[in-house]
Every structure is written in C-alpha cells, then in structure tokens.
Amino acid sequence: MKNILVTGGCGFIGSNFIRFILQKNAGIRIINLDALTYAGNRENLSDIQGEKRYTFFQGDINNTALVRKLLKEFGVDTIVHFAAETHVDRSILGPESFIQTNILGTYHLLEEARRWWIEEGFDRNIKTCFHHISTDEVFGSLGPDDKAFSENTPYAPSSPYSASKAASDHLVRAYFQTYGLPVTITNCSNNYGPFQFPEKLIPLTILNALKGKALPVYGDGKQVRDWLYVEDHCRAIELVLQEGTAGETYIVGGNNQPPNINIVQSICRILDCLRPDSSFTPRTSLIQYVEDRPGHDRRYAMDITKIQRELGWQPAISLDAGLLQTVKWYLEHLDWVDNIATRPDYQGWLAKNYNQRGKNR
Ligand code: NAD
Ligand code: TYD
C-alpha cells in the first residue's frame, strides 16, 4: 500500500486528484490535510467519505507537529502538495496569507519531509517523495513573439501570488540540491473543470451567465492563457509520481492559447444552446469590459515537449470538449454552486473585487 499525504485536497485540483488516484489505484491510501479556507470544501469529496483508503484531517500545513504526526502515523511515502492561496486578485488585495501558506507553509512541509525521509531515514531509495504543484505564472508574461515557457525559462513573477509560488518552487529545488530530498515539480497552466471555486474566470462566467449577471472581462479581454482540463492534469501528476526523475521540473499545458474573450464567448454560446429558454440570450450581451487587473500578465504559452518525450503525457481533452463538459457539470450541480454562492464571504468577495472596478468601455 502506498501512503500519500495530499495537502489542500479539499480544493479544486486536489479533490479531483484524490478521486482520480483512488479510482485508478487500489493500492493507494490518501491522507488529506486541508485547512478548509474559503476555497476548501469537504463537499468536493462527499462521494468518497466512506472510502476506507481515504482519511481527512483539518489542519494547516504550518502546523509542524500535526504534519510530523501524520507522516509517522501513516508511514507516508509520498507528499503531493497542492495547498496554497491561489487567486491572483485576492493576492493583489491582501498578499499576507499568500506569504504565510505558499512560502512559509511550503517551507514547514519541506522541513518535516526532510526530517522524516532523511533524518529518520524513512526510505532513501524512493524516486520521488515530495511532489510540488506549481504554476506557469512564475515565468511572468510573454510578448507576442516570445517562445512558449519551458523548464528552462527564467522566473519573472508579476503578482504577489506568482511571486509566492516562485519562492516555494525555489525552496523545493533547494531541498533537493542541498539535502538530497527527492522532489519533483510540475508547473501547469490554468486548470478548469468540475469543482472549481467560482471566483476564477470559467466558473464565475458560467454562474453569472446563468443568472443574467454581467460577465466581467478585464482590460481588453485579449490576454492569452493556456487551458488545461483538470483530469488531464491529474493524469500528468500520476505519471510524474510513477516515472518522474527526482530533482526535475515538468511543464504541463493544454496545448491551446485562446484570448480570454473567446473563452467567455464560448461559454455564452454553450449556455445559449443548453439553456435556450431564457430572457438572457444571447448571453454575449452580458459581457462587460471592466478595469484591468494591475500587473496583468498578457500572455502565457506552454512547451510540453519534455513531459511528452520523457513520460509520454499529452492532454487528451480538447478545449471545446472540456468547456462543454464543465458547463454541463455546473448545470448538474447547482446545489453545490448555491451552497457557495449564497455564503456571505463569497458575496463579500464579489463586492470587494468588482464593485470598485470602473467600466472599461
Ligand atoms: P484552491 O484554491 O481551489 O484550493 C486550495 C486548497 O488549499 C483549499 O482546499 C484550501 O483550504 C487549502 N489550503 C489553503 N491554505 C492552506 C493551509 N495553510 N494549510 C492547509 N490547506 C490549505 O486551489 P487549486 O486551484 O486547487 O490549486 C491547487 C494548487 O495548484 C495550488 O498550489 C496552485 O498554486 C496550483 N495551480 C493551480 C492552477 C489553477 O488553474 N487552479 C494552475 C496552476 C497551478
Ligand atoms: P483567473 O481565472 O483568475 O486565473 P489566473 O489569474 O490565475 O490566470 O483568470 C484567468 C484570466 O481571466 C486572467 O487573464 C484574468 C481574466 N479574468 C477576467 O477577465 N475577469 C474576471 O472576472 C476574472 C476572475 C479573470
């Protein structure tokens, strides 16, 4: 039995990963450590609460005593580290929690991993024991003619979020170089799919478009992101855990780079098709250009050659198919959505981020 400590497993990607990995691997036990911040939701895993190979602990990754206890009690052989503050806009309005969790939290987790694997000599022969989930945003913004991000692109983060993730990546790498802790890192692009918290572009657009609310598009809407369906990402992480090389980084992307406005328009068209009986159609009429995000990165693009060549991974789900699946999922899970959308802290966030934003056109 492999014993994997997942941090942040009640968030969007972590919960998808836990479900994915338990379904595919009978010999895996998951210990999920999550602080249940505003973004953490136990409902994301309500379908596996009775699963014997799954145990949940509410707690902070900065709680070293708890992490130490879990590593020992469960004989953990792998840590998959998702826990983070993840929303760029929140990092602009309040960076401190990003420093606490993304930098200090990662440091504390690394220290406990080092103590467990190296000082207590748990298992020196494993290929990867600490897998760190990071982001393409650490590389900063590409100009129109720049080459896509690769594993060799220098770091140039723009936001407090991406700066904190960059710092955590450097720490993870330093623990490999200095202490020989077997680590791997994936830097992936924008994920989308089921269970994404509705503050990010895709779920926010789906929800607002359903309710006939304005669809806020920052700046001119021509910023370019690479979009990765979350299940493709989970498969990439699984492969890196199985076959990745300690000390290595892998770029993971969806092989598509549409401007934001195209994403918003596509969601409108899908909803017009699936829910045509509405006074809001065509939903593109709800699009509202609003004041841009400060320091907004213009373009991201991913060169996935390394993971393709070395591990045989490539995305399987096209953007069109993934968007359709995602919109359908949200339509089929309106209770999940309402439980979040009616929370005062969520409404408070929307007011804070959008009410003061001037209209752009
Ligand atoms: P999320 O915001 O949906 O979930 C984060 C989870 O971490 C929540 O369950 C939260 O409760 C938990 N958490 C936060 N602080 C914690 C702490 N101090 N201790 C324990 N748990 C804590 O995030 P996500 O979108 O699932 O992202 C997961 C990881 O993937 C993050 O590291 C993020 O930087 C990275 N990433 C995300 C994307 C994306 O598009 N979502 C893209 C690239 C990289
Ligand atoms: P987001 O989903 O917040 O992810 P990230 O900032 O990590 O890329 O945003 C994706 C893109 O969409 C980004 O360029 C900002 C833009 N955006 C909007 O135009 N309007 C919005 O309301 C939000 C939340 C994002």
Side-chain angles (χ1 to χ4, degrees):
M1 181 73 80
K2 270 188 92 56
N3 296 312
I4 301 183
L5 175 67
V6 168
T7 69
C10 293
F12 162 47
I13 309 175
S15 61
N16 276 283
F17 175 76
I18 290 175
R19 184 176 297 99
F20 173 90
I21 208 86
L22 284 176
Q23 268 168 12
K24 281 193 64 192
N25 302 273
I28 282 184
R29 181 206 308 273
I30 298 285
I31 302 99
N32 175 13
L33 173 63
D34 195 299
L36 296 182
T37 67
Y38 78 92
N41 187 350
R42 287 199 74 184
E43 266 190 70
N44 293 4
L45 290 168
S46 54
D47 55 326
I48 62 156
Q49 291 309 329
E51 167 61 62
K52 286 198 191 65
R53 293 176 296 130
Y54 172 71
T55 315
F56 170 72
F57 287 88
Q58 181 172 2
D60 193 317
I61 52 171
N62 282 297
N63 182 344
T64 51
L66 176 60
V67 171
R68 192 173 305 177
K69 176 175 164 292
L70 294 180
L71 292 177
K72 203 161 191 160
E73 192 172 312
F74 290 92
V76 168
D77 45 56
T78 308
I79 296 175
V80 184
H81 178 33
F82 294 94
E85 288 294 333
T86 62
H87 191 32
V88 174
D89 293 320
R90 287 190 193 247
S91 83
I92 294 168
L93 294 173
E96 187 161 342
S97 59
F98 290 73
I99 309 306
Q100 285 295 341
T101 289
N102 301 2
I103 305 179
L104 276 176
T106 302
Y107 157 70
H108 283 131
L109 205 57
L110 282 165
E111 267 297 285
E112 289 310 312
R114 174 167 84 93
R115 167 190 281 273
W116 177 230
W117 267 280
I118 296 172
E119 289 182 8
E120 295 203 25
F122 176 66
D123 185 350
R124 286 178 167 277
N125 298 318
I126 38 181
K127 281 172 81 180
T128 170
C129 72
F130 190 108
H131 182 67
H132 178 59
I133 315 293
S134 191
T135 168
D136 55 358
E137 306 199 21
V138 297
F139 302 119
S141 187
L142 291 169
D145 301 321
D146 289 341
K147 280 202 295 191
F149 299 138
S150 77
E151 289 77 5
N152 301 318
T153 305
Y155 278 35
S158 312
S159 70
Y161 164 65
S162 53
S164 68
K165 290 298 289 188
S168 68
D169 291 12
H170 291 317
L171 281 169
V172 172
R173 200 162 289 125
Y175 271 66
F176 172 74
Q177 295 288 356
T178 307
Y179 304 114
L181 184 73
V183 305
T184 42
I185 300 176
T186 40
N187 292 90
C188 69
S189 55
N190 285 60
N191 282 226
Y192 68 104
F195 298 106
Q196 186 166 30
F197 192 83
E199 64 186 352
K200 306 281 168 72
L201 179 69
I202 289 180
L204 182 90
T205 301
I206 298 171
L207 259 61
N208 283 8
L210 264 177
K211 292 188 178 146
K213 289 170 67 180
L215 309 179
V217 173
Y218 295 166
D220 63 3
K222 293 188 180 145
Q223 305 82 5
V224 171
R225 297 290 180 270
D226 177 290
W227 294 94
L228 175 64
Y229 193 67
V230 65
E231 194 181 311
D232 275 331
H233 184 197
C234 293
R235 206 163 37 79
I237 298 170
E238 183 191 34
L239 263 180
V240 172
L241 294 180
Q242 289 167 345
E243 294 171 32
T245 303
E248 292 294 316
T249 290
Y250 301 89
I251 294 275
V252 185
N255 260 349
N256 57 67
Q257 288 94 32
N260 289 341
I261 186 64
N262 290 20
I263 293 283
V264 174
Q265 286 167 340
S266 297
I267 292 170
C268 290
R269 278 192 290 272
I270 294 171
L271 274 174
D272 287 351
C273 201
L274 295 176
R275 289 284 188 277
D277 302 326
S278 157
S279 51
F280 313 130
T281 54
R283 287 176 173 84
T284 45
S285 63
L286 299 169
I287 291 173
Q288 199 166 91
Y289 289 90
V290 297
E291 192 180 318
D292 208 352
R293 173 187 277 175
H296 197 173
D297 286 337
R298 193 69 181 162
R299 181 168 85 92
Y300 303 147
M302 312 294 275
D303 176 355
I304 61 166
T305 310
K306 177 175 171 182
I307 193 166
Q308 222 164 7
R309 192 185 54 229
E310 293 185 10
L311 305 183
W313 178 90
Q314 58 181 21
I317 297 161
S318 70
L319 183 57
D320 283 347
L323 273 182
L324 180 61
Q325 262 169 251
T326 304
V327 174
K328 282 185 174 167
W329 186 88
Y330 278 88
L331 289 176
E332 286 159 9
H333 292 81
L334 291 175
D335 284 353
W336 180 91
V337 170
D338 280 342
N339 284 345
I340 295 172
T342 51
R343 271 169 26 192
D345 62 331
Y346 178 70
Q347 289 302 327
W349 164 252
L350 294 183
K352 189 172 173 188
N353 191 41
Y354 293 102
N355 287 2
Q356 305 303 320
R357 256 193 159 88
K359 291 200 175 65
N360 222 25
R361 286 182 199 167

